[in-house]
Every structure is written in structure tokens, then in C-alpha cells.
Amino acid sequence: MKPALIVHAGAWKIPEATHADHIAGIRAAAEAGWAILASGGSALDAVETAVSIMEDDPTFDAGVGSVLNRVGEIELDAMIMDGSTLQLGAVAAVRGITNPVKLARLIVEDTDHSLLVGDGARRFAELKGMRLCAQAELTVPREVERYRKLQEVPDYRLSDGFTPDTPGPWDTVGAAAMDMHGNLAAATSTGGVHYKLPGRVGDSPLVGSGAYADNQTGAASATGHGESIMRVVLSKTATDAIGHGKSAQAAAEYAVRTMYERVGGYGGIILVDYRGEIAFAFNTPHMAVAWVDVDGQVQAHLKTRQSAP
Ligand code: GLY
């Protein structure tokens, strides 16, 4: 089968000054993932590689460049899922590693568990020989500045006022792919929401919310307001819609519309369906998305919403 790949790096009102960095980052991720698929590699390897490249890119709220929580710490969430087996690995609120998606993959390969959190996840990383890092390695000046400003805001509560104009970043990163064997996979990684309470876990590591993959329907990765995404189990809602006969594009739009209509949520989703069709939908001002077209060329775009949410 012809492989397929789509990646994203967030859906929100992405500042114009960072558009070029976003496009360069998603392009690099899509090219690396595509190189794996084009040479016969697995969808699981492709999404892991694409996401880890975006984790290493300080432009995005994942890995290096992640937001700080309310006590000035970085806690990371990630998930990877294999559509051929429905096995998944996820980590939540883990500190001191640069590539949580790689740790999630090790959970798939080397454990009979699905989700490890906090210190346990970090201890597992150490056990598997992953390099642990100091928080300074993940921290960028942009986020220190944002944190200091938020400290000045009395009783700051993000969820009270979340709109597409809420200052980000909402640069969760993700990828969905199909390989030559028709196997699907999806992965998502994030630093979560800025100024979150310590221990807050978003949608990204929750199966069916931040990502889902099933060879019989599709592979999906979500981005946006985690508390909204998890309430409608956005990725599973989208892949189930494919199972009920919708095209990939119709399923992506249906899932985002459902989130908005049911819980007033904002965000976006990427999809690859079991036929290898790719799609994305979002209801925020922008979404950063890259895919590989029918000629094998990477298309990387900062998309602007065309209609009301
Ligand atoms: N969608 C990422 C988060 O809310 O944590």
C-alpha cells in the first residue's frame, strides 16, 4: 500500500512572528517520518520519529520549549499507539526527559502496561537507559518570561476564559501515519497548558482523547484545550466516525464540531484513515499542519480558519 503521513504542531492563534518557525518545524518532522515510511519502515517508527523531532524543536510546547506549571516546573505528557495491535504506551506528568514519546514507545515494547506517570515514568526511563536531563535543558527564555507574567495575575484560571484568542502556546505536537503494510499509528506529545497546577494531565496521554489508532478505522492525533478534548474523547470520536462510514475529512470535521457544540471546546485534529486518506480540521484561528502529497512532496502550512467555529 502507499504510505501516508500527516503531522501537526498546535491549533491556536499562532503569532505571526513564529509562523516561519512553525512551518520549518513541521516540515522537518514530516520529512523525517516520510523517509522512514518510503523506505518500508513502520508507521509506529515514523510517528515516533516525527514527534521526537518536534519535541527537540524549541518552537513547540513539547519536550524542549515546554510551558512551565504553576510552581515553575515542566511536566510532560505523551502517547503512542499501534493500530495493528491496539497496544499503546503513554506517560503523564513526567519530568527531566527530553523525548517523552520515546519513553512512551518503550512502554509499548518493554512492558505489559499502558500508562506510567510522574516519578514512576522517570524511574522507568532511567531503568531503560534513557538520558535524564535537568529542567534547564527543557526551558526556553520565552516560557520563563510567560511564567513570570502569569505570576503577576491574581487567581489565574485558564479554563474560565478559554477562547481561541487565549494567549498560547497551544503547540502540542502529533503525527498519524500508515505504512506500506497498511498498519496505522499515531503519537502526540505536549508540555500541556501554561501555568497548570502541578500534576495536571491533559488529553495527550489519554487513549482516545489525545490520540488513537486502529487499523480498522483510522489513526488520529489531537491538539487544543485538553479539558475539552477529553470530554468528547476527540480522537476516538473521529476514528469511530470513519468506522460508521464517514470519509477522513468528514470525520475530522465532525469530531471538532462535536467538541464545539457539546462543550464549547477549541482545537484541531489530524487523521489518516484505513484507506490511507489524510485529513485535518480545526476551529481555532490557525493550525500548523504538514503532510505528504500524492507526488511524495511534503506540504507544510500554517492554515487559517476560513469560517466561524
Ligand atoms: N492538548 C494539550 C493539553 O491540553 O494538555
Side-chain angles (χ1 to χ4, degrees):
M1 291 188 79
K2 196 168 161 39
L5 176 72
I6 184 164
V7 310
H8 71 79
W12 58 297
K13 193 171 183 177
I14 300 171
E16 214 167 315
T18 70
H19 284 194
D21 288 343
H22 274 76
I23 290 169
I26 55 178
R27 177 177 290 284
E31 284 174 351
W34 187 247
I36 290 169
L37 294 172
S39 61
S42 73
L44 209 53
D45 283 344
V47 296
E48 179 188 346
T49 296
V51 167
S52 70
I53 282 173
M54 292 187 281
E55 288 175 337
D56 291 341
D57 187 331
T59 307
F60 305 126
D61 177 24
V64 177
S66 288
V67 296
L68 306 186
N69 69 13
R70 204 157 292 202
V71 294
E73 291 172 340
I74 290 176
E75 294 186 329
L76 303 171
D77 299 339
M79 173 172 46
I80 190 166
M81 185 161 182
D82 180 348
S84 66
T85 59
L86 302 186
Q87 272 189 292
L88 67 113
V91 293
V94 62
R95 289 191 278 140
I97 59 166
T98 54
N99 292 110
V101 74
K102 292 186 179 175
L103 184 55
R105 177 73 187 270
L106 286 172
I107 292 171
V108 175
E109 302 298 341
D110 293 348
T111 78
D112 52 5
H113 301 322
S114 296
L115 171 63
L116 294 178
V117 305
D119 285 344
R122 187 178 152 96
R123 280 209 296 273
F124 179 64
E126 199 170 12
L127 186 74
K128 299 309 295 181
M130 274 186 85
R131 189 176 68 82
L132 303 183
C133 70
Q135 171 158 312
E137 202 177 317
L138 301 170
T139 309
V140 295
R142 175 192 72 224
E143 295 310 326
V144 174
E145 197 183 321
R146 189 190 318 280
Y147 175 69
R148 292 207 173 120
K149 280 190 186 147
L150 288 167
Q151 280 184 305
E152 303 300 316
V153 181
D155 301 327
Y156 181 81
R157 275 193 68 178
L158 177 70
S159 54
D160 279 351
F162 184 78
T163 74
D165 291 333
T166 302
W170 299 92
D171 290 322
T172 295
V173 304
M178 187 170 80
D179 62 31
M180 283 178 181
H181 307 288
N183 289 323
L184 293 169
T188 305
S189 181
T190 191
V193 296
H194 48 275
Y195 218 55
K196 63 190 179 182
L197 292 171
R200 180 268 187 187
V201 172
D203 60 294
S204 302
L206 303 183
V207 62
S209 292
Y212 198 72
D214 180 349
N215 279 9
Q216 295 185 5
T217 54
S221 170
T223 179
H225 185 228
E227 282 70 10
S228 299
I229 292 169
M230 64 177 86
R231 285 161 76 189
V232 297
V233 202
L234 190 70
S235 294
K236 185 72 160 63
T237 294
T239 55
D240 279 354
I242 293 168
H244 292 130
K246 284 196 193 307
S247 69
Q249 188 59 43
E253 289 171 10
Y254 165 76
V256 171
R257 196 169 59 246
T258 298
M259 176 168 69
Y260 184 70
E261 289 175 357
R262 296 301 309 277
V263 300
Y266 289 94
I269 192 164
I270 56 170
L271 271 179
V272 176
D273 77 7
Y274 66 95
R275 296 163 290 231
E277 279 178 27
I278 57 167
F280 62 91
F282 60 104
N283 65 355
T284 49
H286 302 119
M287 183 169 182
V289 59
W291 63 92
V292 180
D293 68 18
V294 287
D295 299 320
Q297 299 300 310
V298 171
Q299 299 291 331
H301 297 278
L302 205 304
K303 290 286 183 181
T304 300
R305 193 182 66 209
Q306 299 299 327
S307 56

